[in-house]
Amino acid sequence: MPNSSEMPKAPIHPHAVTAGEVVPGDLVALSQEEVERQQWCVVMHTLPESPGTIRVTLRPPLGGIDREAVLAREQEVVVAGRRVDETAVPAVSSPRLDAVEFRDGDRVTRLRAVDPEGVEVTYERRWGIWHRDLDDRTGETVSDDVVRGWAADADRAGYVVRHHSRPAREPSWAGPRRVVVTGLGALTPLGVGVDELWRGLLDGRHGIRELEGEEFQELPVRVAGVVPVDPAMLLPRAAARRMNRAAQFAVLAAREAWGDAGFATGGTRESGLDPERVGVSLGAILGDASVLVGGDRKLRDKGPRGVSPLTTPMTVPSQAASQVSLDLHITGEARTVTSACASGTEAIGEAIDRIRYGRVDVALAGGAEAVITPAIMASFASMRALSGLGLDGGATPSRPFAKDRAGFVNGEGAGVLVLEAEEHARARGARIYCEAAGWGLSADAHHMAAPDPSGSGVALALRRAVRDAGGHVVDVVHVNAHATATVDGDLAEAGALRAVLGEVGGAAAGASPGAGGGVPVTALKGNLGHLQGAAGGVEAVAAVLTLHNRLVPPTLGCAELDEEIGLDVVTGAPRALPADGDLVLSNSFGFGGHNAVLALRRVA
């Protein structure tokens, strides 16, 4: 209940009078202590009680129940110097809530009615806790018992408390469709397939290796996250010869995801799907830089006739998307997103929107990259971006969020999700991993390579992803961080996460552990290295599995957390995913200030 519109806005100037002088409409406090507590009442009626006393009916100025007091006529009281139209002050009583069954989405309003300048405060219930601000994890929270206590004590304490049940959802016959994840596929430095990826993450293994071959021998850094098998050996020879390495990764990951979603081997026609209603959306920075380098070498060594006619079609970053489209006979669209290391996540977001708004019903989305070449390695080393820690003792040289982090490790691979309109998936009885609930983009506009140290662009992408998912910050239960293990990059991301999700240990009294404190964060580049344009796809696969299995993999390489990070980083062993939330965020940020965040939601 807001302040009464009839309440004048003149300032309060307390002064003492006798009880015999008060008249209806006076704003009165019966003691100096009440004045100090801003506890006033409106005089509603006065009646003679005896020659020396009067009976006064009092009501809180913003509404409430009446109480009567018998005062000696010469008794000193305090008036506010403010007149009130007593007929405009509502008589209301706060109902008890002991028998009410609260549900998430309910609201409670609480107004301190004895304060003429009181402001109504609203609390909304989420995950069994009442939040004053659903987008502030460290804000005020209270329990069901506290709310019931407010209602029980409201009339006596001078408050007005109201319970508002969660509004019934109106039937909707139009609007964006819900998008779900039904299939997963991956080739990573941990091995071939999603099972190898997930098992390696939970076991705390890494796939970073010493680079062999004489072309790497003179480089200052010779370690990378390399897929441990030749993808060409897993494909028919004729097909493999027409694909670059990144496209080979993409086709194998897409085939795995396609089969995992329950579709038939071969593609759309074999699965009984309209190929025009299926799309591909893959992220890549360069795709496979070795093709162009090899073509240039052959030109110098053998002349123009030595250059293969396949050099150009195998060089373009869009080759992975086109080869997946060819392999599975997908004609709806084959899209390529190139936004530095945010490419894979942005490609998934684009696919979500294409399904949401009815352009396609099914999409294969993710990223693929193969840029472990001498020139790329040398360039990153010249930027002083690569870790020079080596593989001593088998430890990973990629150490996200760690005190001794020293840069990222270049990597390769592919990660692909099958996204599907929910009604399409349910109609065919598909297994649903989770909802692909939303995504957010932003740009730093700061530097061509360095992150904005303020983290403001990252924070904007995080908030946009949560908002696009139709959620609130208190719904976030886990973050799969980009965390490349560069000194400045990790700090910028950590600062943005703290700004949006709150500081570790900042839970308000009464909140459950996951409803206002630190959100468990993990980073996978200690296991994989930085897969560039494929990073968002592979890390999205891991985020989906985290939601599905309700288990957060640990951050490998973070033996000692940098104290400036200030996040609840999961290390050492897997941790159970908290139950009091349903959104998982997967972050990807790239050179030039590209920021992309994917929001996934648990499906009950």
Side-chain angles (χ1 to χ4, degrees), residues 97-133:
L97 301 177
D98 298 339
V100 175
E101 183 178 348
F102 294 137
R103 300 181 299 164
D104 281 5
D106 287 3
R107 290 181 301 111
V108 161
T109 57
R110 188 172 187 240
L111 173 67
R112 189 166 185 263
V114 295
D115 182 354
E117 297 175 350
V119 176
E120 186 176 70
V121 178
T122 300
Y123 295 78
E124 186 167 339
R125 194 175 189 268
R126 198 82 161 183
W127 307 111
I129 296 293
W130 297 86
H131 297 261
R132 186 164 176 174
D133 183 351

Side-chain angles (χ1 to χ4, degrees), residues 226-397:
V226 181
V227 173
V229 299
D230 181 357
M233 302 302 293
L234 304 177
L235 293 164
R237 184 178 178 187
R241 288 182 62 249
R242 288 169 171 77
M243 300 182 201
N244 65 32
R245 186 174 173 87
Q248 292 168 0
F249 290 152
V251 167
L252 290 167
R255 286 182 177 181
E256 182 186 15
W258 188 257
D260 186 48
F263 295 122
T265 302
T268 54
R269 289 172 294 195
E270 292 79 0
S271 302
L273 297 176
D274 179 354
E276 296 181 7
R277 300 297 301 168
V278 183
V280 180
S281 181
L282 294 181
I285 302 175
L286 297 175
D288 183 350
S290 66
V291 176
L292 186 59
V293 172
D296 184 67
R297 183 179 297 119
K298 289 176 182 178
L299 176 65
R300 286 186 278 108
D301 292 347
K302 300 180 180 180
R305 293 184 179 276
V307 179
S308 167
L310 296 175
T311 300
T312 297
M314 290 175 62
T315 296
V316 293
S318 60
Q319 223 238 352
S322 66
Q323 288 293 341
V324 170
S325 166
L326 285 165
D327 189 67
L328 296 172
H329 192 68
I330 293 169
T331 64
E333 56 190 38
R335 157 193 316 269
T336 299
V337 175
T338 300
S339 53
C341 304
S343 300
T345 296
E346 186 172 340
I348 295 170
E350 293 282 1
I352 290 171
D353 279 352
R354 299 300 284 173
I355 296 172
R356 272 178 173 172
Y357 299 107
R359 303 298 187 265
V360 294
D361 300 318
V362 180
L364 288 129
E369 202 80 77
V371 291
I372 302 176
T373 65
I376 298 295
M377 294 290 292
S379 173
F380 282 144
S382 295
M383 294 172 65
R384 299 183 179 179
L386 293 182
S387 171
L389 295 174
L391 293 166
D392 295 341
T396 177

Side-chain angles (χ1 to χ4, degrees), residues 255-586:
R255 286 182 177 181
E256 182 186 15
W258 188 257
D260 186 48
F263 295 122
T265 302
T268 54
R269 289 172 294 195
E270 292 79 0
S271 302
L273 297 176
D274 179 354
E276 296 181 7
R277 300 297 301 168
V278 183
V280 180
S281 181
L282 294 181
I285 302 175
L286 297 175
D288 183 350
S290 66
V291 176
L292 186 59
V293 172
D296 184 67
R297 183 179 297 119
K298 289 176 182 178
L299 176 65
R300 286 186 278 108
D301 292 347
K302 300 180 180 180
R305 293 184 179 276
V307 179
S308 167
L310 296 175
T311 300
T312 297
M314 290 175 62
T315 296
V316 293
S318 60
Q319 223 238 352
S322 66
Q323 288 293 341
V324 170
S325 166
L326 285 165
D327 189 67
L328 296 172
H329 192 68
I330 293 169
T331 64
E333 56 190 38
R335 157 193 316 269
T336 299
V337 175
T338 300
S339 53
C341 304
S343 300
T345 296
E346 186 172 340
I348 295 170
E350 293 282 1
I352 290 171
D353 279 352
R354 299 300 284 173
I355 296 172
R356 272 178 173 172
Y357 299 107
R359 303 298 187 265
V360 294
D361 300 318
V362 180
L364 288 129
E369 202 80 77
V371 291
I372 302 176
T373 65
I376 298 295
M377 294 290 292
S379 173
F380 282 144
S382 295
M383 294 172 65
R384 299 183 179 179
L386 293 182
S387 171
L389 295 174
L391 293 166
D392 295 341
T396 177
S398 176
R399 301 176 184 179
F401 294 136
K403 191 172 185 178
D404 62 348
R405 67 190 183 281
F408 74 84
V409 172
N410 198 16
E412 63 177 7
V416 175
L417 284 63
V418 172
L419 304 177
E420 207 167 337
E422 182 183 29
E423 63 267 28
H424 188 278
R426 295 201 183 278
R428 66 183 187 87
R431 179 266 327 279
I432 293 175
Y433 282 106
C434 65
E435 179 187 358
W439 63 302
L441 288 179
S442 71
D444 282 352
H446 173 72
H447 190 273
M448 67 178 293
D452 181 351
S454 75
S456 59
V458 172
L460 176 60
L462 289 164
R463 291 190 178 97
R464 283 178 168 172
V466 172
R467 191 181 310 126
D468 190 52
H472 298 277
V473 168
V474 297
D475 300 328
V476 178
V477 73
H478 169 59
V479 176
N480 189 305
H482 184 65
T484 61
T486 58
V487 174
D488 293 339
D490 286 9
L491 286 175
E493 182 176 10
L497 288 170
R498 293 195 307 271
V500 174
L501 303 178
E503 303 285 342
V504 172
S512 56
V519 176
V521 175
T522 196
L524 307 184
K525 291 180 175 66
N527 307 86
L528 305 169
H530 187 356
L531 307 190
Q532 308 297 325
V538 171
E539 289 164 11
V541 169
V544 168
L545 291 171
T546 296
L547 259 180
H548 184 68
N549 296 311
R550 306 199 174 195
L551 195 61
V552 181
T555 301
L556 188 63
C558 188
E560 184 179 359
L561 181 67
D562 181 351
E563 60 187 16
E564 292 187 56
I565 295 298
L567 300 174
D568 180 13
V569 178
V570 179
T571 61
R575 185 192 300 180
L577 189 71
D580 49 357
D582 65 353
L583 282 185
V584 164
L585 305 181
S586 184

